[in-house]
Amino acid sequence: MTARRKLIAGNWKMNGLSAQLGEVSAIAQLAAGRSDIDVALYLPATLIAPAAPLAGTVLIGGQDCHQEEAGAFTGNVSAAMLVEAGARGTLVGHSERRAYQQESNTDVAAKAARAHAHSLAVILCVGETLETREQGDEAAHAWVVEQLRASLPEGASPDWLTIAYEPVWAIGTGKVATPPQVAAMHAALRTALVEALGEDAGNVMRILYGGSVSGDNAADILHTANVDGALVGGASLTAAKFAPIVDAA
Ligand code: PEP
């Protein structure tokens, strides 16, 4: 079996002012004791520069970057801007951006490629809606695999790309996919990665689970086959809530 190092990543979404920077320092302390796993925080763009010097081994990332290098895209943040602020990575294709900013798979692939061109590590998010899940497991697998294929950037490599499976119905709802549901979806995604990238890269690329992960369910999720870590929203906002998830990894 391929050994993949676990990654515990927090996504603060549109939460956090400078008053919360103490949580970044506290999470950096948690991570400092864990040389066996990777820890990352995806922060609002305004917190990246002040957080970067506090982060220690924690990778600080943005939550999106625009697919173009620069230009007339009011309100957007470019990959170069993230790098200048001190980010070492970014999320792309989070379901909230796909839903509220109408980002397509083509946009997501272009964002990932642009981020990589600036040497940012990328987490590419995929996941089905409740409507698709209710059509059955096979339909959900086919839908998410197709979303992954269509969102994968040219030259995708586990050196810089990680996949996050985040069922939309589990994000921020307190409903967690069951370990068998997660195992089956991750197996389907693993097969798709091997087909798209070849045996070596496809088996080494990390696949995270995200969707209402907490200290209560992290151990079950993180010990499920093909789960290489977690992308955590609400429970990453404080070190106290994040700590049991890091401990479970
Ligand atoms: C997320 O934002 O990616 C997420 C998984 O959120 P939550 O953990 O709050 O469901």
Side-chain angles (χ1 to χ4, degrees), residues 42 48 59-62 64-66 77-92 111-123 157 159-162:
Y42 295 87
I48 292 171
L59 179 148
I60 297 295
D64 175 57
C65 74
H66 199 275
V77 175
S78 73
M81 290 169 187
L82 291 180
V83 171
E84 188 179 61
R88 294 190 287 134
T90 188
L91 305 178
V92 297
K111 285 166 182 277
R114 182 68 65 181
H116 173 53
H118 287 268
S119 302
L120 290 166
V122 176
I123 295 182
S157 154
D159 294 345
W160 58 272
L161 188 69
T162 294

Side-chain angles (χ1 to χ4, degrees), residues 11 13 91 94 96 125 166 170-174 209-213 231-235:
N11 170 18
K13 313 193 188 200
L91 305 178
H94 191 282
E96 288 155 12
C125 306
E166 299 205 297
I171 296 182
T173 58
Y209 169 80
S212 295
V213 174
L231 180 54
V232 184

Side-chain angles (χ1 to χ4, degrees), residues 43-158:
L43 298 178
T46 49
L47 284 186
I48 292 171
L54 309 174
T57 59
V58 175
L59 179 148
I60 297 295
Q63 297 169 4
D64 175 57
C65 74
H66 199 275
Q67 56 268 44
E68 296 298 335
E69 189 60 32
F73 303 103
T74 303
N76 284 288
V77 175
S78 73
M81 290 169 187
L82 291 180
V83 171
E84 188 179 61
R88 294 190 287 134
T90 188
L91 305 178
V92 297
H94 191 282
S95 61
E96 288 155 12
R97 292 202 60 89
R98 289 179 186 265
Y100 305 142
Q101 268 74 37
Q102 289 80 43
E103 290 181 358
S104 67
N105 291 329
T106 310
D107 295 334
V108 172
K111 285 166 182 277
R114 182 68 65 181
H116 173 53
H118 287 268
S119 302
L120 290 166
V122 176
I123 295 182
L124 190 171
C125 306
V126 293
E128 81 286 3
T129 60
L130 184 59
E131 198 187 354
T132 302
R133 173 55 67 173
E134 283 175 343
Q135 289 166 18
D137 289 349
E138 299 238 326
H141 296 165
W143 196 92
V144 178
V145 162
E146 184 46 37
Q147 189 185 40
L148 173 68
R149 284 206 186 103
S151 305
L152 269 183
E154 282 283 306
S157 154

